Amino acid sequence: MKTVRKAIIPAAGFGTRFLPATKAMPKEMLPIVDKPTIQYIVEEAVRSGIEDIIIVTGRSKRAIEDHFDKSEELELFLKERNKGRLLSIVEDVAQLANIHYVRQKEPLGLGHAVWCARKFIGSEPFAVLLGDMLVDSDKPCLKQLLDVYAERQAPIIAVETVAWEETSKYGIVGGVELDDRLLRIERLVEKPPSNPLSNAAIIGRYVLEPSVFDRLETTPRGAGGEIQLTDALQQLASCETMYAYRIEGKLYDVGDKMGFLKATVELACKDADLQAPFLAFLKYRFGSGEGGGMR
Ligand code: G1P
């Protein structure tokens, strides 16, 4: 039985949707309440049982490495001032997981970023987590996939049902519904401009096997002129069994300003210290209107 111990987190994109904030700062460091988005992703991987993480970085991404590193000066500063709670928060970040880094030297797309981590993965199955999607759920999103992987021993991709008019923003999978949540994949298409196969959208969590690296090697540029992971998976799906799983949880597309704001407001409303004053402020300022949806 193959178990999954390693994960890849691609973090080399420019983050153009958040310019100018991302001109000199990685988009993965933008905080939701008080934690960089990439920390939520690393925590999800760790809570799912992942031991080793490789972050694929690019230019101007030093802040990510510094964030997960030990900070002697800051720890000393907090110790001397008896700031015990903050000290443990800072120490914990540096001890979350074994984090490794590799650079994607050219911005050739998600498929290429994943391929850059192939030597670290070797011959084991592995997870991929994209930083643009946060999932708030009791059972971590990746753990939901890993439980299905343990049973099926075949690659599995997390999906969520989206509005039909949103399908052109995502990788879309089509296949045979095995139950309420599980599909056997027949086809995948990256950002279909029209006539989508279905409205089951890839939401940035994957459990894959190393065979995908050979496919990535020869995958031509696809949507957006980039080497797409979805295209490599489409090639694999024609000869290997692969599943999609409709995950349980609340999804936030934090790569998008609206999704980022929704995550900020909703996670602030769940924060032990902020909950009462923040809810009181929202009520005072906006009344108790309803509204929502994923995006
Ligand atoms: C990537 C994937 C796409 C997926 C999306 C989820 O696209 O290529 O299949 O649906 O992430 O966020 P990106 O948003 O990086 O263009």
Side-chain angles (χ1 to χ4, degrees), residues 38-39 41 44 48 72 90 92 108 111 122-123 126 132 134 198 217 238 249 263 266 270 276-277 284:
I38 195 165
Q39 190 178 332
I41 305 292
E44 179 189 322
S48 303
E72 299 278 0
V90 167
D92 289 351
L108 294 179
S123 55
F126 62 98
D132 280 350
L134 295 192
S198 77
E217 197 111 20
S238 55
E266 292 200 16
K270 289 176 113 183
Y284 158 75

PDB file of all heavy atoms in Angstrom, residues 38-39 41 44 48 72 90 92 108 111 122-123 126 132 134 198 217 238 249 263 266 270 276-277 284:
ATOM      1  N   ILE A  38      -0.286  31.291   2.671  1.00  0.00           N
ATOM      2  CA  ILE A  38       0.483  30.042   2.498  1.00  0.00           C
ATOM      3  C   ILE A  38       0.605  29.255   3.810  1.00  0.00           C
ATOM      4  O   ILE A  38       0.720  28.032   3.799  1.00  0.00           O
ATOM      5  CB  ILE A  38       1.872  30.304   1.859  1.00  0.00           C
ATOM      6  CG1 ILE A  38       2.474  28.976   1.367  1.00  0.00           C
ATOM      7  CG2 ILE A  38       2.808  31.064   2.802  1.00  0.00           C
ATOM      8  CD1 ILE A  38       3.629  29.114   0.419  1.00  0.00           C
ATOM      9  N   GLN A  39       0.507  29.940   4.937  1.00  0.00           N
ATOM     10  CA  GLN A  39       0.557  29.211   6.209  1.00  0.00           C
ATOM     11  C   GLN A  39      -0.700  28.345   6.402  1.00  0.00           C
ATOM     12  O   GLN A  39      -0.633  27.241   6.936  1.00  0.00           O
ATOM     13  CB  GLN A  39       0.764  30.170   7.389  1.00  0.00           C
ATOM     14  CG  GLN A  39       1.061  29.397   8.676  1.00  0.00           C
ATOM     15  CD  GLN A  39       1.313  30.289   9.879  1.00  0.00           C
ATOM     16  OE1 GLN A  39       1.773  31.437   9.725  1.00  0.00           O
ATOM     17  NE2 GLN A  39       0.993  29.795  11.054  1.00  0.00           N
ATOM     18  N   ILE A  41      -2.212  26.912   4.063  1.00  0.00           N
ATOM     19  CA  ILE A  41      -2.035  25.761   3.176  1.00  0.00           C
ATOM     20  C   ILE A  41      -1.065  24.747   3.809  1.00  0.00           C
ATOM     21  O   ILE A  41      -1.321  23.543   3.816  1.00  0.00           O
ATOM     22  CB  ILE A  41      -1.477  26.229   1.799  1.00  0.00           C
ATOM     23  CG1 ILE A  41      -2.377  27.299   1.181  1.00  0.00           C
ATOM     24  CG2 ILE A  41      -1.255  25.056   0.850  1.00  0.00           C
ATOM     25  CD1 ILE A  41      -3.719  26.835   0.743  1.00  0.00           C
ATOM     26  N   GLU A  44      -2.808  22.950   6.542  1.00  0.00           N
ATOM     27  CA  GLU A  44      -3.726  21.912   6.021  1.00  0.00           C
ATOM     28  C   GLU A  44      -2.940  20.648   5.661  1.00  0.00           C
ATOM     29  O   GLU A  44      -3.369  19.531   5.972  1.00  0.00           O
ATOM     30  CB  GLU A  44      -4.463  22.440   4.776  1.00  0.00           C
ATOM     31  CG  GLU A  44      -5.406  21.391   4.201  1.00  0.00           C
ATOM     32  CD  GLU A  44      -6.008  21.775   2.852  1.00  0.00           C
ATOM     33  OE1 GLU A  44      -6.337  22.961   2.642  1.00  0.00           O
ATOM     34  OE2 GLU A  44      -6.147  20.872   1.997  1.00  0.00           O
ATOM     35  N   SER A  48      -3.103  16.978   7.569  1.00  0.00           N
ATOM     36  CA  SER A  48      -3.494  15.821   6.757  1.00  0.00           C
ATOM     37  C   SER A  48      -2.463  14.700   6.849  1.00  0.00           C
ATOM     38  O   SER A  48      -2.641  13.645   6.243  1.00  0.00           O
ATOM     39  CB  SER A  48      -3.653  16.249   5.286  1.00  0.00           C
ATOM     40  OG  SER A  48      -4.599  17.283   5.182  1.00  0.00           O
ATOM     41  N   GLU A  72      15.760  34.085  15.268  1.00  0.00           N
ATOM     42  CA  GLU A  72      16.440  34.215  16.572  1.00  0.00           C
ATOM     43  C   GLU A  72      16.180  35.573  17.227  1.00  0.00           C
ATOM     44  O   GLU A  72      15.804  35.645  18.395  1.00  0.00           O
ATOM     45  CB  GLU A  72      17.966  34.066  16.379  1.00  0.00           C
ATOM     46  CG  GLU A  72      18.421  32.744  15.809  1.00  0.00           C
ATOM     47  CD  GLU A  72      18.519  31.646  16.849  1.00  0.00           C
ATOM     48  OE1 GLU A  72      18.221  31.915  18.017  1.00  0.00           O
ATOM     49  OE2 GLU A  72      18.892  30.515  16.460  1.00  0.00           O
ATOM     50  N   VAL A  90       5.285  32.351  17.094  1.00  0.00           N
ATOM     51  CA  VAL A  90       6.438  32.513  16.193  1.00  0.00           C
ATOM     52  C   VAL A  90       7.261  31.218  16.130  1.00  0.00           C
ATOM     53  O   VAL A  90       7.671  30.781  15.046  1.00  0.00           O
ATOM     54  CB  VAL A  90       7.298  33.711  16.671  1.00  0.00           C
ATOM     55  CG1 VAL A  90       8.647  33.735  15.992  1.00  0.00           C
ATOM     56  CG2 VAL A  90       6.554  35.021  16.409  1.00  0.00           C
ATOM     57  N   ASP A  92       6.189  28.174  16.707  1.00  0.00           N
ATOM     58  CA  ASP A  92       5.423  27.098  16.051  1.00  0.00           C
ATOM     59  C   ASP A  92       5.531  27.166  14.531  1.00  0.00           C
ATOM     60  O   ASP A  92       5.581  26.139  13.872  1.00  0.00           O
ATOM     61  CB  ASP A  92       3.935  27.160  16.447  1.00  0.00           C
ATOM     62  CG  ASP A  92       3.726  26.750  17.895  1.00  0.00           C
ATOM     63  OD1 ASP A  92       4.698  26.271  18.509  1.00  0.00           O
ATOM     64  OD2 ASP A  92       2.610  26.927  18.410  1.00  0.00           O
ATOM     65  N   LEU A 108       6.593  29.341 -16.550  1.00  0.00           N
ATOM     66  CA  LEU A 108       6.027  28.555 -17.658  1.00  0.00           C
ATOM     67  C   LEU A 108       4.711  27.873 -17.301  1.00  0.00           C
ATOM     68  O   LEU A 108       4.198  27.087 -18.087  1.00  0.00           O
ATOM     69  CB  LEU A 108       7.051  27.501 -18.127  1.00  0.00           C
ATOM     70  CG  LEU A 108       8.328  28.050 -18.770  1.00  0.00           C
ATOM     71  CD1 LEU A 108       9.256  26.913 -19.175  1.00  0.00           C
ATOM     72  CD2 LEU A 108       7.985  28.891 -20.001  1.00  0.00           C
ATOM     73  N   GLY A 111       1.955  23.444 -14.531  1.00  0.00           N
ATOM     74  CA  GLY A 111       2.492  22.119 -14.852  1.00  0.00           C
ATOM     75  C   GLY A 111       4.008  22.114 -14.726  1.00  0.00           C
ATOM     76  O   GLY A 111       4.608  21.195 -14.153  1.00  0.00           O
ATOM     77  N   GLY A 122      10.738  11.944  -6.173  1.00  0.00           N
ATOM     78  CA  GLY A 122      11.261  10.597  -6.459  1.00  0.00           C
ATOM     79  C   GLY A 122      10.164   9.681  -6.958  1.00  0.00           C
ATOM     80  O   GLY A 122       9.384  10.066  -7.836  1.00  0.00           O
ATOM     81  N   SER A 123      10.063   8.488  -6.342  1.00  0.00           N
ATOM     82  CA  SER A 123       9.115   7.502  -6.875  1.00  0.00           C
ATOM     83  C   SER A 123       7.875   7.333  -5.985  1.00  0.00           C
ATOM     84  O   SER A 123       7.184   6.325  -6.057  1.00  0.00           O
ATOM     85  CB  SER A 123       9.837   6.174  -7.028  1.00  0.00           C
ATOM     86  OG  SER A 123      10.389   5.842  -5.772  1.00  0.00           O
ATOM     87  N   PHE A 126       2.330  11.694  -4.217  1.00  0.00           N
ATOM     88  CA  PHE A 126       2.500  12.993  -3.551  1.00  0.00           C
ATOM     89  C   PHE A 126       1.241  13.833  -3.695  1.00  0.00           C
ATOM     90  O   PHE A 126       0.385  13.548  -4.538  1.00  0.00           O
ATOM     91  CB  PHE A 126       3.705  13.733  -4.151  1.00  0.00           C
ATOM     92  CG  PHE A 126       3.553  14.040  -5.622  1.00  0.00           C
ATOM     93  CD1 PHE A 126       3.123  15.284  -6.061  1.00  0.00           C
ATOM     94  CD2 PHE A 126       3.840  13.068  -6.572  1.00  0.00           C
ATOM     95  CE1 PHE A 126       2.976  15.560  -7.420  1.00  0.00           C
ATOM     96  CE2 PHE A 126       3.682  13.330  -7.933  1.00  0.00           C
ATOM     97  CZ  PHE A 126       3.258  14.585  -8.357  1.00  0.00           C
ATOM     98  N   ASP A 132      -4.075  29.417  -3.907  1.00  0.00           N
ATOM     99  CA  ASP A 132      -5.173  30.346  -4.163  1.00  0.00           C
ATOM    100  C   ASP A 132      -6.501  29.895  -3.576  1.00  0.00           C
ATOM    101  O   ASP A 132      -7.470  30.653  -3.600  1.00  0.00           O
ATOM    102  CB  ASP A 132      -5.359  30.538  -5.679  1.00  0.00           C
ATOM    103  CG  ASP A 132      -4.340  31.514  -6.242  1.00  0.00           C
ATOM    104  OD1 ASP A 132      -3.638  32.163  -5.442  1.00  0.00           O
ATOM    105  OD2 ASP A 132      -4.252  31.617  -7.476  1.00  0.00           O
ATOM    106  N   LEU A 134      -8.446  28.405  -0.261  1.00  0.00           N
ATOM    107  CA  LEU A 134      -8.480  27.969   1.135  1.00  0.00           C
ATOM    108  C   LEU A 134      -9.775  27.200   1.334  1.00  0.00           C
ATOM    109  O   LEU A 134     -10.818  27.581   0.803  1.00  0.00           O
ATOM    110  CB  LEU A 134      -8.496  29.160   2.088  1.00  0.00           C
ATOM    111  CG  LEU A 134      -7.280  30.072   2.137  1.00  0.00           C
ATOM    112  CD1 LEU A 134      -7.393  31.002   3.345  1.00  0.00           C
ATOM    113  CD2 LEU A 134      -5.991  29.267   2.227  1.00  0.00           C
ATOM    114  N   SER A 198     -18.633  19.614 -17.790  1.00  0.00           N
ATOM    115  CA  SER A 198     -19.477  19.522 -16.594  1.00  0.00           C
ATOM    116  C   SER A 198     -19.249  20.826 -15.825  1.00  0.00           C
ATOM    117  O   SER A 198     -18.556  21.724 -16.317  1.00  0.00           O
ATOM    118  CB  SER A 198     -19.038  18.342 -15.725  1.00  0.00           C
ATOM    119  OG  SER A 198     -17.857  18.685 -14.993  1.00  0.00           O
ATOM    120  N   GLU A 217       6.754  16.431 -18.975  1.00  0.00           N
ATOM    121  CA  GLU A 217       7.960  16.644 -19.774  1.00  0.00           C
ATOM    122  C   GLU A 217       7.617  16.969 -21.226  1.00  0.00           C
ATOM    123  O   GLU A 217       8.289  17.754 -21.874  1.00  0.00           O
ATOM    124  CB  GLU A 217       8.779  15.342 -19.713  1.00  0.00           C
ATOM    125  CG  GLU A 217      10.193  15.459 -20.123  1.00  0.00           C
ATOM    126  CD  GLU A 217      11.120  15.278 -18.922  1.00  0.00           C
ATOM    127  OE1 GLU A 217      10.723  14.703 -17.887  1.00  0.00           O
ATOM    128  OE2 GLU A 217      12.235  15.728 -19.054  1.00  0.00           O
ATOM    129  N   SER A 238      -6.353   9.046 -20.037  1.00  0.00           N
ATOM    130  CA  SER A 238      -6.729   8.161 -21.138  1.00  0.00           C
ATOM    131  C   SER A 238      -6.128   6.753 -20.961  1.00  0.00           C
ATOM    132  O   SER A 238      -6.541   5.822 -21.634  1.00  0.00           O
ATOM    133  CB  SER A 238      -6.313   8.772 -22.476  1.00  0.00           C
ATOM    134  OG  SER A 238      -4.942   9.053 -22.443  1.00  0.00           O
ATOM    135  N   GLY A 249     -16.748  21.228   2.676  1.00  0.00           N
ATOM    136  CA  GLY A 249     -16.134  22.398   3.302  1.00  0.00           C
ATOM    137  C   GLY A 249     -16.473  23.664   2.573  1.00  0.00           C
ATOM    138  O   GLY A 249     -17.081  23.645   1.504  1.00  0.00           O
ATOM    139  N   ALA A 263     -13.064  35.612   2.686  1.00  0.00           N
ATOM    140  CA  ALA A 263     -12.309  34.785   3.634  1.00  0.00           C
ATOM    141  C   ALA A 263     -11.902  35.632   4.841  1.00  0.00           C
ATOM    142  O   ALA A 263     -11.996  35.191   5.993  1.00  0.00           O
ATOM    143  CB  ALA A 263     -11.079  34.197   2.955  1.00  0.00           C
ATOM    144  N   GLU A 266     -15.057  36.278   7.001  1.00  0.00           N
ATOM    145  CA  GLU A 266     -15.606  35.089   7.663  1.00  0.00           C
ATOM    146  C   GLU A 266     -14.633  34.479   8.668  1.00  0.00           C
ATOM    147  O   GLU A 266     -15.047  34.030   9.732  1.00  0.00           O
ATOM    148  CB  GLU A 266     -16.045  34.058   6.621  1.00  0.00           C
ATOM    149  CG  GLU A 266     -17.239  34.598   5.848  1.00  0.00           C
ATOM    150  CD  GLU A 266     -18.044  33.537   5.136  1.00  0.00           C
ATOM    151  OE1 GLU A 266     -17.888  32.350   5.446  1.00  0.00           O
ATOM    152  OE2 GLU A 266     -18.832  33.919   4.257  1.00  0.00           O
ATOM    153  N   LYS A 270     -14.724  34.078  13.023  1.00  0.00           N
ATOM    154  CA  LYS A 270     -14.508  32.828  13.768  1.00  0.00           C
ATOM    155  C   LYS A 270     -13.342  32.938  14.733  1.00  0.00           C
ATOM    156  O   LYS A 270     -13.075  32.013  15.492  1.00  0.00           O
ATOM    157  CB  LYS A 270     -14.208  31.692  12.784  1.00  0.00           C
ATOM    158  CG  LYS A 270     -15.412  31.257  11.977  1.00  0.00           C
ATOM    159  CD  LYS A 270     -14.993  30.214  10.968  1.00  0.00           C
ATOM    160  CE  LYS A 270     -15.612  28.876  11.282  1.00  0.00           C
ATOM    161  NZ  LYS A 270     -15.159  27.839  10.338  1.00  0.00           N
ATOM    162  N   ALA A 276     -16.350  38.677  18.774  1.00  0.00           N
ATOM    163  CA  ALA A 276     -17.380  39.527  19.377  1.00  0.00           C
ATOM    164  C   ALA A 276     -17.275  40.976  18.881  1.00  0.00           C
ATOM    165  O   ALA A 276     -18.257  41.530  18.362  1.00  0.00           O
ATOM    166  CB  ALA A 276     -17.304  39.428  20.890  1.00  0.00           C
ATOM    167  N   PRO A 277     -16.090  41.629  18.987  1.00  0.00           N
ATOM    168  CA  PRO A 277     -16.048  43.025  18.534  1.00  0.00           C
ATOM    169  C   PRO A 277     -16.281  43.181  17.033  1.00  0.00           C
ATOM    170  O   PRO A 277     -16.913  44.145  16.600  1.00  0.00           O
ATOM    171  CB  PRO A 277     -14.631  43.490  18.913  1.00  0.00           C
ATOM    172  CG  PRO A 277     -13.834  42.254  19.159  1.00  0.00           C
ATOM    173  CD  PRO A 277     -14.800  41.203  19.585  1.00  0.00           C
ATOM    174  N   TYR A 284     -23.407  46.897  13.568  1.00  0.00           N
ATOM    175  CA  TYR A 284     -23.583  48.336  13.716  1.00  0.00           C
ATOM    176  C   TYR A 284     -23.480  49.024  12.347  1.00  0.00           C
ATOM    177  O   TYR A 284     -24.279  49.876  11.980  1.00  0.00           O
ATOM    178  CB  TYR A 284     -22.513  48.856  14.679  1.00  0.00           C
ATOM    179  CG  TYR A 284     -22.208  50.331  14.549  1.00  0.00           C
ATOM    180  CD1 TYR A 284     -23.101  51.286  15.057  1.00  0.00           C
ATOM    181  CD2 TYR A 284     -21.045  50.750  13.914  1.00  0.00           C
ATOM    182  CE1 TYR A 284     -22.824  52.635  14.916  1.00  0.00           C
ATOM    183  CE2 TYR A 284     -20.764  52.100  13.777  1.00  0.00           C
ATOM    184  CZ  TYR A 284     -21.659  53.036  14.275  1.00  0.00           C
ATOM    185  OH  TYR A 284     -21.388  54.366  14.136  1.00  0.00           O
TER     186      TYR A 284
END
